[in-house]
Amino acid sequence: MAVEQVDPDHTSQRCSHTDCGFTHEDNRNGEQFRCLKCGYEINADYNGAKNVGLRYMRKRQHSLRSSPTSGSADAPVDVRVNGGMLNGDGYRSTAES
Ligand SMILES: [Zn+2]
């Protein structure tokens, strides 16, 4: 995901709802923003301002974290939760018997 480059247009099209971040041109309808993904509704300008604020905060956190001693700051983070790998019930019954 290219998160570094966010132009003003995209900030106004991006859902500022926490944990969503869905970006689509149809999200914005004039002065009103409505996320096509999560249904979040907000004033479009305020939504854009929120995104700029969030971006600023993230950059700040990033610069605070990336100290010379921590080399893993720029490592790509790709966490995938793979549910269904562990069958708790089956494992448990086998262990108890
Ligand atoms: Zn959303």
Side-chain angles (χ1 to χ4, degrees):
M1 271 172 57
V3 192
E4 292 298 318
Q5 281 191 328
V6 183
D7 56 50
D9 282 337
H10 279 163
T11 51
S12 68
Q13 294 168 1
R14 183 182 190 274
C15 177
S16 65
H17 192 265
T18 316
D19 295 335
C20 181
F22 182 68
T23 304
H24 197 284
E25 58 182 63
D26 289 344
N27 275 355
R28 180 165 184 174
N29 183 10
E31 293 183 1
Q32 188 67 22
F33 178 94
R34 187 173 188 278
C35 180
L36 293 174
K37 189 178 177 187
C38 72
Y40 183 60
E41 285 189 74
I42 190 174
N43 177 276
D45 288 335
Y46 183 53
N47 178 68
K50 264 184 82 177
N51 278 325
V52 173
L54 286 171
R55 183 163 50 125
Y56 175 73
M57 278 175 63
R58 279 182 188 151
K59 274 198 173 172
R60 201 153 166 257
Q61 281 179 351
H62 189 74
S63 65
L64 283 173
R65 267 192 215 154
S66 59
S67 60
T69 49
S70 70
S72 62
D74 291 321
V77 180
D78 188 9
V79 180
R80 286 187 187 145
V81 180
N82 192 348
M85 261 185 71
L86 294 174
N87 191 329
D89 288 329
Y91 182 80
R92 192 174 167 191
S93 59
T94 317
E96 280 176 356
S97 60

